[in-house]
């Protein structure tokens, strides 16, 4: 029998999947900068961190586009793209943080909620989902919600 697990098409598919996963894990620098700048105008600059890292309940360190620290606690923000790998990765990160004894608030920033289709609920189970062009009041409410 022919073993197709090591065939060139299978290897190419695995390489493409790995590249897709890496892309899902690394947000675009310009998008991160836009989010950071926006948060810095809504909240005092000293409270906003660009590209923050925080450990989840699993003790794995996760990277987020931004983190806000206030007297009401921490909020992490991550950019989530409408690709199944990116959505699954974001949900895993947010769920791991949710299991902490004192979890930060979690905000998933998307371009359009409709673009996520039925996978919007996957992210929405673990984080508040806001669109990147939402009003400042929406971002403020998501960041400071109890």
């Amino acid at each position: 029998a022919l073993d197709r697990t090591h065939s060139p098409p299978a290897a190419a598919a695995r390489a493409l999947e790995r590249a897709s996963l890496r892309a899902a894990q690394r947000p675009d620098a310009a998008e991160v900068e836009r989010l950071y700048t926006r948060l810095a105008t809504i909240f005092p600059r000293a409270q906003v961190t660009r590209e923050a890292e925080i450990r989840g309940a699993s003790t794995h360190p996760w990277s987020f586009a931004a983190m806000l620290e206030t007297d009401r606690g921490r909020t992490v923000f991550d950019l989530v793209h409408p690709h199944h790998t990116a959505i699954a990765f974001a949900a895993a990160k947010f769920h791991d943080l949710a299991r902490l004894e004192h979890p930060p608030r979690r905000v998933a920033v998307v371009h359009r909620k409709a673009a996520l289709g039925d996978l919007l609920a996957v992210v929405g189970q673990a984080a508040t989902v806001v669109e990147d062009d939402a009003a400042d009041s929406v971002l403020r409410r998501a960041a400071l919600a109890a």
Side-chain angles (χ1 to χ4, degrees):
L2 182 60
D3 180 4
R4 297 197 182 275
T5 60
H6 298 300
S7 69
R14 282 192 310 279
L16 182 59
E17 188 172 329
R18 281 193 304 273
S20 179
L21 181 58
R22 279 193 303 276
Q25 294 173 1
R26 233 182 348 220
D28 177 75
E31 289 178 307
V32 170
E33 187 60 30
R34 273 192 302 276
L35 177 60
Y36 170 78
T37 301
R38 179 120 185 259
L39 292 171
T41 63
I42 298 171
F43 302 98
R45 215 175 258 283
Q47 297 178 326
V48 182
T49 304
R50 179 188 302 115
E51 299 184 76
E53 186 175 276
I54 184 170
R55 289 186 183 277
S58 69
T59 73
H60 182 79
W62 299 106
S63 295
F64 292 88
M67 183 169 60
L68 173 69
E69 294 184 75
T70 70
D71 57 352
R72 294 172 69 177
R74 293 184 298 181
T75 304
V76 293
F77 296 81
D78 213 20
L79 300 161
V80 181
H81 294 101
H83 183 277
H84 68 279
T85 305
I87 292 166
F89 187 71
K93 293 188 333 181
F94 287 132
H95 276 297
D96 194 24
L97 290 188
R99 294 185 56 237
L100 289 168
E101 184 175 343
H102 300 288
R105 285 176 292 281
R106 298 157 311 279
V107 179
V109 180
V110 301
H111 184 60
R112 290 287 168 257
K113 290 179 181 181
L116 276 67
D118 61 354
L119 292 176
L120 175 62
V122 172
V123 177
Q125 291 171 3
T128 300
V129 181
V130 298
E131 292 184 341
D132 57 10
D133 63 354
D136 289 354
S137 61
V138 172
L139 275 172
R140 188 176 294 108
R141 197 167 35 253
L144 300 176

Coordinates of all heavy atoms in Angstrom, one line a residue, residues 26 28 32 38 56 69 75 77 80 92 116 134 146:
R26 N 0.5 35.9 14.8 CA 1.2 37.1 14.8 C 0.3 38.2 14.1 O 0.2 38.2 12.9 CB 2.4 36.9 13.9 CG 3.7 37.3 14.5 CD 4.8 37.1 13.6 NE 4.4 36.3 12.5 CZ 5.0 35.3 11.9 NH1 6.2 35.0 12.2 NH2 4.6 34.6 10.9
D28 N -0.7 41.8 12.4 CA -0.1 42.8 11.6 C 0.4 43.9 12.5 O -0.4 44.5 13.3 CB -1.0 43.2 10.5 CG -0.5 44.3 9.6 OD1 0.4 43.9 8.8 OD2 -0.9 45.4 9.8
V32 N -1.7 46.4 15.1 CA -1.4 46.6 16.5 C -1.2 48.0 16.9 O -1.7 48.5 17.9 CB -0.2 45.7 16.9 CG1 0.3 46.0 18.3 CG2 -0.5 44.2 16.7
R38 N -5.2 54.0 19.4 CA -6.6 54.2 19.8 C -6.8 54.1 21.3 O -7.5 54.9 21.9 CB -7.5 53.3 19.0 CG -8.9 53.4 19.3 CD -9.7 53.7 18.0 NE -11.1 54.0 18.4 CZ -12.1 53.1 18.2 NH1 -11.8 51.9 17.7 NH2 -13.3 53.4 18.6
G56 N -1.4 32.2 31.1 CA -2.7 31.7 31.4 C -2.6 30.7 32.5 O -1.6 30.4 33.1
E69 N -4.2 48.5 32.0 CA -4.2 48.3 33.4 C -4.7 49.5 34.1 O -4.3 50.6 33.8 CB -2.7 48.0 33.9 CG -2.2 46.7 33.4 CD -0.8 46.4 34.0 OE1 -0.7 46.0 35.1 OE2 0.2 46.6 33.2
T75 N -7.2 44.4 31.3 CA -7.9 44.0 30.1 C -6.9 43.7 29.0 O -6.0 44.5 28.8 CB -8.9 45.1 29.7 OG1 -9.7 45.4 30.7 CG2 -9.7 44.6 28.5
F77 N -6.4 42.9 24.9 CA -7.0 43.0 23.6 C -6.2 42.2 22.6 O -5.0 42.3 22.6 CB -7.0 44.5 23.2 CG -7.7 45.4 24.1 CD1 -7.2 45.9 25.3 CD2 -9.0 45.9 23.7 CE1 -7.9 46.8 26.1 CE2 -9.7 46.7 24.5 CZ -9.2 47.2 25.7
V80 N -8.4 39.6 16.0 CA -8.8 38.3 15.6 C -9.3 38.4 14.1 O -10.2 39.2 13.8 CB -9.9 37.7 16.5 CG1 -10.3 36.3 16.0 CG2 -9.4 37.6 17.9
A92 N -8.6 29.8 22.3 CA -7.7 29.0 23.2 C -7.0 29.9 24.2 O -7.0 29.7 25.4 CB -6.7 28.2 22.5
L116 N -17.0 36.6 10.7 CA -16.6 35.3 11.4 C -17.7 34.3 11.3 O -17.5 33.1 11.6 CB -16.4 35.7 12.9 CG -15.0 36.2 13.3 CD1 -14.7 37.5 12.6 CD2 -14.8 36.2 14.7
A134 N -15.5 50.4 16.2 CA -16.6 50.7 17.2 C -16.3 52.0 17.9 O -15.1 52.5 17.9 CB -16.6 49.6 18.2
A146 N -17.5 44.8 34.3 CA -17.3 43.9 35.5 C -17.1 42.5 35.1 O -17.5 42.0 34.1 CB -18.4 44.1 36.5

